[in-house]
Each structure stands twice: as structure tokens, then as C-alpha cells.
Amino acid sequence: MSRKHTVALVGNPNSGKSALFNALTGARQKIANYAGVTVERKAGRLTLPSGEPVELLDLPGAYSFDAASPDEAVTRDVVKGTFEGEVVPDVLILVLDAANLEQHLVFAQEVLELGRPTIVALNMVDLAERDGLTLDPEALSEALGVPVIPTVAVRRRGITELAAAVAEAETHADEEAHKRWHLTLPERRLSAKHMARAAILSKSTRHTIENGVDRILLNPWIGPVILFGLLFVIFQAVFAWATPFADALEGGVGVLSAGVTDTMAPGIFRDFLTEGVLAGVGSVVVFLPQIVILFAFILVMEASGYMARAAFLMDRLMAGVGLSGKSFIPLLSSFACAIPGIMATRSIADPKDRLTTILIAPLMTCSARLPVYAVIISAVIPETTVGAGVGLQGLVLFALYVAGIVGAMIVALVLRRTVTKGAASGFIMELPRYQLPRIKDLAIGLWQRAWVFLRRAGTIIFVATIALWVLLSFPKADEGESQLDASYAGAVADTIHPVLEPVGFNREMSLALVPAIAAREVAVSALATTYAINAEDEDLAAQGVTERIAALWTLPMALAFLAWFVFAPQCLSTIAVARRETNGWKWPIVMVVYLFALAWIAAGATYWIAVSLGL
Amino acid sequence: MTLDGFDSGRTARITSVNWAILAEDEGKRLQALGVDEGAEVAIVHRGVFGTRDPLALRIGNMTIAIRRAHAAAIEVEAA
């Protein structure tokens, strides 16, 4: 037996491939992009019973090699060994949904025709049993000519057997299999029917739970009510549940900052740590709990099978602006962060639909806006109630979310009639079977997203904060001169202020926008740092950013600043990911230009209206 | 008659599919999902009130969502 180096998982979408991948590799996973295409490459380490490690590759789900989506093309090219920069997998694990054999065997034959060493994982046998199916893996193995291992990935059943079978698999191609099959699609479908029939020992006429549950969840009246109720609960949870964790993190940063102040001698390096690093990065890390909570809901919706139902319910509404229900999923993710949202557009097959969704994703109110909204609202909007249990501050926050959504819908409508004009998009989507999500799979998914967020805080935001601190701190002001006026940052502010003055921005606000290009939440620490450095005396320096804003900004100015952040493309990572996902600079530039234009107009309109109303 | 006008819940047999009026990749996708001559399908759910779009189709052991425009390209008879 020769050594094996790579093993790849192939199978239809919704065959439980990713759960199997998690069960086989645990958290030892690496996610990257395939070179040159926007399809994700998921690889992890699988340890064979002998202790020998192999690389396990989770290929994108495919219904056929002869189909349209970029995902399927990658799967085809990798298993055929024609994908540049990727080695041919030594062994394939073909994943079949035991309850959906007849359908999954169609693609299975296409894979087996390649004659590669293959093992079949007959997955989700528990769901098949739930549906009243008794299966005969040996009959299936005989019909296919390869080993068949029954598995339940989410319960880790059959995982060791599968690893053992991989170790046993011969790594040379099976020429015979290659000759045995060479069928057309209708022939494959017919033989899939025969094979499925032979493998099914008994079939009771038990009703699947899908129909019953879907009768409620997809009901034209009740379904949307449940969906919007759920969305309401999600957003409620994001704010309410995250508060104690956010407070704890904030307290931690405060303790750290106080510790640094106490132990270090006053000087430039201490200022750098407290004003730059801790104030800047700390103000961002505080939002980790909200991101984790929002993603927990999204991951549960996806893993349980409900997300596809949400797409089904939303399709009609999305069609109204020229999109399809499939765009709903990336747009919902964008409320946490536009980066994973834009990456999630990969599931949209139609290129124009996908492009439109990428271009409007930054308008969904991501969690990075919350620090900005929270600080400005608490500084200038009074804490009054406007009705039963409804506070004015909450109402303003809600209005900002709505403004983003409405803006996105209008932009989508305009884009679909102009730059992304084309045939009305279709909506073809499998509604997967309901399944209880596994905690470990959720934990892996949450960890990956939290890590992306923290890495961003640790890199882009860190660098932007430090750069701003340096620009604000040097050169040092002379006696009687304000530090802001003397600094390099002051010169930058003077340059861009004329553009923003008509929409009501003062010099500090204009300056805060510059580092906030890197990431919106930096605006808060930028204002904090600016006001701290520029304070004329110790009393002012001790005041928080909220008090300074309350004292120095008028209401129209603050509202204009909020309106700016609803639209402005203040996030380098989003622009970078848009470039990667559209393979070029053209669309990110279009995105940046239209968003800045919208931001300027929205801020201006808000300011002028507020001033003329005498606010 | 075409599938979009067929009663919900009853099983229909596809007699022909008018591939020409579907976008090429949509046709391929539907075919890969098993929508083809001879297949038995049933509409199990219809979308929001008014337009009743999209449709959820049971085909084999799978449920797929399609739009009425797709269903209008599928000729069926009662199975």
C-alpha cells in the first residue's frame, strides 16, 4: 500500500459533507480561496488509524460536472486533476444522502466514471431511518463497485470506519470502473433508480416531517410572520444578550489601561499604549459578543435547514427589486459584517444577481457601525420615551437600520436597470431536510468568524489607530497653540474639511473620517483621541468623548454624521473582499464612488433639513 | 397543461419541458435536480399570497424551490 497525501470529499449539496468534514478533521481546518477564482478552499488534517496524517479537502457541493456554477467547475477540475496548483486527490470520499439515494446516485456515477480510488460515505442514515427506510450498504457497494460505509456525520457514527477504509483504499485508478460506465444523463438517472431500489430493503410509508413542518413554516400567512418574528428576536438578542459581555470586555480594557497608567512612567510610550492601542483596538473588540451572537443565529438557521426556507419566503420581496431569495442569506449575514456576507454571495449562480448583492451588501447595517451610532446617539439624542416602552434613542437607531435597508433596495433597483441589467433572475434552490445542528459544528463556525473579526481588529484597526495617533501627536504644539492645529493630522483635516463643510461637518468630524476609512468603528476612537490630545486643560482631557460631542456638536451636525455612516464605504476590508470576489478593481471602485456620493447627499440633506427645522 | 396551473399536492408526470424558454444554466440546473421528461413531481407549497410565487416542488425525496416562470415551461399530466 502506497502513502496517501490528499483525500477529497465530493458529493451533492446538502449531503452532509461539511458536517462529515468537521467530524473527520475537528478544528484543524484552513480556509482560503482557490487561486484565481472566488471559490473557497477548505482543507483540514485527517489522521488515519495508523497515525499517518493526510490532507482532507472539502470540495464544493455539486449536482453535476456539466453545470453552470463556478463551485461545480472547481470540484470537477480538482477531482479530474486539471486544476492548476492543486494536486489530484489520492482518494475520493463520495458522500451520499442515504434518504435521497436516487438523486445522489446520479452525480455519484459521474464521479465513479473518473475511475479514481473512491469510498462511499452513506451519510445521514439516521434521517433515512427516521423516514422509514432500511438500507443495504452491501448491495449498494456491489452495485457501485466501491466500499460503502454508513455514517451519521453529526453524531460521529461511522467516522473511524471511514478513516480505516480510506487507509485501505488503493491509490491507483480503477481502469475498469472507467470503462464500465459512460452514460448519458437519462441513462444515469435510470441506473440510479435501479441501484437505489436494490439498496432499499424496506420502505414504510411514514410521512416525512418536512411536509408537516413546512406546512407551517412555508405557509403564505404564518411563514412570513414567523420569519419576521425570528428576525426581531435575533436583533433583540444581539443588543440585549451582548451587553453584559461587552461591559465585561470594556471593563477589562479599562483595568488594563489603568494598570498601564499606574505602572509606567508618564511619557510618549505610555500615551501610545493607552491613547493609541488600548483606546483604539479596545473600542472594537467590545463588539465581539454581538458578532458572535448574530452569527450563532445565522449558523443555526443554516445548519437546521431553515435558511433555505427564509430564502423561499423572501424570494417574492427580493424579486421586487430584481434579485432573488438567494440574496437574502448574504444580506442577512451582512448585518454582522459585510465581509462574510459578500463571501456568502458565492451561493448565487447568476453573475448579475451576485454582483448586485455584493454592491449593496455594505448598506446593511453591520456591527462596526454600532460603536459610532451608540456614541453619537447617547451624546445628542435625549433619553426620552415617545410611547409605550419606545425610547427616542432606540427609535433613532431603528431608523438608521431602516435607512440602510431601504437605501439598499433602491440601489438594487437602480443597479438592475443600469449596470447589472440582464435577464430577470431565476430562483432554483434545494430546500434541505430539517436537521438538529451539532454544537461542535456551530462552535467551529463561530470560532472561524470570531477569529476573522479579531484578526481585523488586530491588524487593520490597530495600524489605523496607531497611524492616526502618530499624525495627531507630531509635531508637538508650541505653547498656546492647540495640538490639533500643530499636528500633521490638522493639515489633513484642513484639506478635506472644505468638501465636508457644506454638509455640516466640523474639522474634528472630517478628520475622524480619514482613519475610519480603514474601519468605521475607528471613528469613535479617532474622535476620542483627537479630543483627548486637543484638550486645553486637564478637566477637559478627563471628559469622555460622549461629553465632548454633547458639548461641541449641534443636533443637525450629529444627525448628519449618523447619516454619513449609514452609507459611506468606511471599511477597507470590505473593499478588499469586493475586489477579490469580483476579480478586479472595476466594481469596488464603482461601489466606493456611489457609496461616498450617497453618504454626502444623505448627510447634506439631513443637515439642511434639520437646520431649516430649527433643531 | 403546464405545472404552474396544476393542483397542489397531486402528483404530476412531466410530459415535456420547453427548455428553449428557460435560461441555459437554469435548464441544466433543473435537469441536474431531476426535472425532465417522465419524472413525477408535486407542488407541495406555494409562496406568498397574491402572486403565489415561488413554488416548492417535491421530486423524488427532494424539495426544490422554483419560480412560476420555470413551472410554466414544464408540461405535465396527472400521474
Side-chain angles (χ1 to χ4, degrees), chain A residues 63 66 68-69 72 99-100 103 185 189 214-215 220 312 315-316 319 323-324 425-431, chain B residues 25-26 28-33 36 45 47-49 51-56 61-67 70:
Chain A
Y63 291 106
D66 173 44
S69 86
E72 288 174 332
N100 202 2
Q103 165 68 21
L185 179 58
R189 205 173 280 139
D214 275 343
R215 201 158 294 156
F312 182 89
D315 182 60
R316 187 68 204 103
L323 293 171
S324 86
S425 58
F427 176 60
I428 299 170
M429 188 177 198
E430 185 180 349
L431 303 181
Chain B
D25 54 337
E26 283 179 14
K28 276 187 180 171
R29 171 81 49 221
L30 286 174
Q31 215 169 7
L33 287 164
D36 209 345
H45 302 284
V48 283
F49 33 83
T51 59
R52 316 247 61 197
D53 212 4
L55 309 172
N61 212 349
M62 221 178 5
T63 312
I64 59 170
I66 66 171
R67 283 196 179 155
H70 307 133

Side-chain angles (χ1 to χ4, degrees), chain A residues 108-132:
Chain A
Q109 294 172 73
E110 237 180 302
V111 174
L112 289 167
E113 265 176 23
L114 301 172
R116 307 286 315 156
T118 306
I119 291 154
V120 167
L122 189 59
N123 200 24
M124 309 203 276
V125 283
D126 58 333
L127 290 190
E129 283 160 17
R130 189 180 81 186
D131 291 350

